[in-house]
Amino acid sequence: MSSSQVETGAGPRPGNGTVVVTGLGATTPLGGDVASTWAALLAGNSGVRALDWAEIEDLPTRFAATIAVEPDQVLPKHRLRRLDRCQAFALIATHEAWRHAGLAYRPTGPGAGEEVDGFEVDPERLGAVVSSGIGGLLTALNGYDAYKKTGWKRTSPFTVPMLMPNGSAGHVGIEFGAKAGVHAMVSACASSSEGIGYAIDMIRSGRADVVIAGGTEATIHPFNLAAFAAMRAMSTRNDEPERASRPYDKNRDGFVMGEGAGTLILESEEHARARGAKIYAIASGAGYSADAHDIVQPDPTGSGAAAAMRRALQNSGLVPEQIAHINAHATSTPQGDVAEIAAIKSTLGPAAAAKVAITGTKSMTGHLLGAAGALESIATVLALHEGVVPATANLEDLDDAVDLDIVRGETRRLPDGPLAALNNSFGFGGHNVAVAFQRAL
């Protein structure tokens, strides 16, 4: 089929069940695209920065992992006035992923991106799952401040679509013409991993041939920092913020808030091969569970996280011995990190778990909340594709309870040949999601 041909028809078309990754896009605290972000991860760079805001002078945490490239350097300002910050991130990441996948883009409105040649996807066979844990928080907070000063007549008519948690999914769906279904998972820090799992199911069930799967978050604001500070959830290492996120270290004292977006283009293997697409990995499946333990704290036994990983293996047809790498949730919290280690050992068994190269990339990116799973899935895909695992930064004194192979100090080469990896994401409310990927050979 030529790049100009389009298969039409919206009916289900179950294929061989294999879902592949053909495109990646991101905008993060480490870089404005995937290449710069990946290079920074391999170099061990930090995206965490001090904040010089007067409103937070008395807060115990005065730093965050802010975006490296501001949206106004990518999108026109008149368009940004109709978008929440998280929605702008989502569009930027998706445009990169779309181009990376070699797909055609035809602008449909003022301010849309530039036309891109490539394979024309039938809109009826295109879906989108773009998730956020919180959505347009900045629109809500800043809009209310403006309302108090100027009254309702100066309130933007775009406020409601800008603050909706599904707003990013809606904008992406409209931008790229996704008519097979547009969805937004909201499960705190597990949101975009759950969205990737849902996207895999959309393709497996025959609802779509191609699905845009991603996550986005933009919640770095004095009020949100104060709220997390009140929970004693964030690091207070203000004297060296770039070293504050330190998963598995004895001296870890909480997570570091980040912002950004990540997008993966998923396709049925048949569709990808028919158009001659480059395949970066196989999106093998996902597993889900809930702790039913506490609204914030993870189950200290790690049983819920273990159930999600076990179900991801079952859903993917994998066995523990095939897992060579795990991009861990690893937020740098005292309880969460060790609970995840217990879960990994419980899921894989002592022998298989001991051979897995585990990394915590939040040590460099900070915690992107609802976007974390998408960004870390991109890192997992690249680790398989490039054969190298980024090292966990700032890990100087390994916690005595952590008795598995944490990649630190320098990057780690993965073995050649067939292998698989997991990306773990756990969220407030007890949401647990593990996504499995396999190397494409």
Side-chain angles (χ1 to χ4, degrees):
M1 180 179 294
S2 72
S3 64
S4 62
Q5 290 177 300
V6 178
E7 295 183 13
T8 59
R13 298 179 188 156
N16 62 9
T18 301
V19 179
V20 298
V21 181
T22 57
L24 303 170
T27 183
T28 77
L30 296 176
D33 55 20
V34 168
S36 56
T37 297
W38 180 241
L41 285 173
L42 294 180
N45 297 340
S46 175
V48 184
R49 304 165 183 88
L51 302 173
D52 58 356
W53 302 343
E55 305 98 312
I56 65 171
E57 287 180 353
D58 63 340
L59 291 185
T61 299
R62 300 183 294 279
F63 55 88
T66 54
I67 203 77
V69 178
E70 285 294 326
D72 62 9
Q73 297 183 45
V74 184
L75 297 175
K77 291 184 179 180
H78 72 270
R79 191 165 193 208
L80 291 173
R81 286 196 291 270
R82 300 186 179 197
L83 298 171
D84 183 80
R85 188 173 174 85
C86 74
Q87 296 168 358
F89 291 164
L91 287 170
I92 290 167
T94 303
H95 270 285
E96 182 191 4
W98 195 258
R99 292 193 304 271
H100 190 220
L103 300 174
Y105 170 75
R106 305 289 177 245
T108 58
E114 296 180 359
E115 184 167 325
V116 175
D117 290 330
F119 185 90
E120 300 275 0
V121 179
D122 176 4
E124 301 291 346
R125 304 294 303 162
L126 172 64
V129 189
V130 184
S131 303
S132 179
I134 300 176
L137 179 69
L138 299 186
T139 290
L141 293 174
N142 296 335
Y144 183 59
D145 286 343
Y147 162 75
K148 288 189 294 183
K149 292 179 180 178
T150 63
W152 77 270
K153 291 183 179 180
R154 299 295 297 274
T155 299
S156 169
F158 303 106
T159 298
V160 172
M162 288 170 68
L163 62 81
M164 304 186 307
N166 65 312
S168 295
H171 277 291
V172 167
I174 293 166
E175 184 94 351
F176 295 91
K179 296 186 177 182
V182 174
H183 308 276
M185 305 293 111
V186 181
S187 47
C189 303
S191 296
S192 53
S193 284
E194 184 171 353
I196 292 168
Y198 192 89
I200 292 170
D201 287 343
M202 285 183 73
I203 295 172
R204 283 180 173 173
S205 69
R207 285 181 57 197
D209 296 321
V210 181
V211 179
I212 299 163
T216 186
E217 206 78 89
T219 61
I220 300 174
H221 182 280
F223 179 75
N224 206 31
L225 290 170
F228 278 109
M231 296 174 65
R232 308 288 195 273
M234 294 189 300
S235 172
T236 59
R237 195 180 289 264
N238 293 293
D239 56 336
E240 44 183 4
E242 69 283 353
R243 300 177 64 197
S245 185
R246 46 182 55 232
Y248 306 120
D249 192 274
K250 284 182 180 179
N251 296 310
R252 67 190 183 278
D253 66 335
F255 81 93
V256 175
M257 192 181 299
E259 63 178 359
T263 300
L264 298 86
I265 303 299
L266 304 185
E267 292 187 55
S268 70
E269 183 181 30
E270 291 174 338
H271 188 273
R273 293 199 183 281
R275 71 180 185 88
K278 182 173 182 177
I279 294 173
Y280 291 88
I282 298 169
S284 304
Y288 316 89
S289 76
D291 284 349
H293 170 73
D294 186 88
I295 196 66
V296 174
Q297 297 292 352
D299 183 336
T301 68
S303 61
M309 286 186 276
R310 184 173 65 251
R311 292 166 187 168
L313 295 179
Q314 293 168 348
N315 187 249
S316 305
L318 297 169
V319 296
E321 290 73 20
Q322 291 175 274
I323 303 300
H325 167 50
I326 294 177
N327 189 304
H329 187 58
T331 60
S332 188
T333 58
Q335 282 194 339
D337 288 6
V338 294
E340 185 173 10
I341 291 297
I344 292 170
K345 292 190 290 186
S346 172
T347 302
L348 302 183
K355 298 178 181 178
V356 175
I358 300 169
T359 194
T361 49
K362 290 183 181 72
S363 58
M364 294 167 278
T365 66
H367 190 350
L368 271 62
L369 307 180
L375 175 57
E376 289 154 22
S377 287
I378 290 170
T380 305
V381 166
L382 289 173
L384 291 173
H385 182 69
E386 303 291 339
V388 60
V389 175
T392 306
N394 306 320
L395 178 45
E396 299 167 351
D397 193 358
L398 188 66
D399 191 308
D400 294 336
V402 179
D403 54 357
L404 294 180
D405 182 13
I406 310 299
V407 179
R408 52 175 171 158
E410 58 184 25
T411 59
R412 176 82 55 81
R413 296 298 307 181
L414 289 174
D416 295 331
L419 49 83
L422 293 174
N423 173 38
N424 288 339
S425 297
F426 313 129
F428 283 178
H431 306 282
N432 304 304
V433 181
V435 183
F437 296 94
Q438 289 176 264
R439 176 177 281 164
L441 300 175

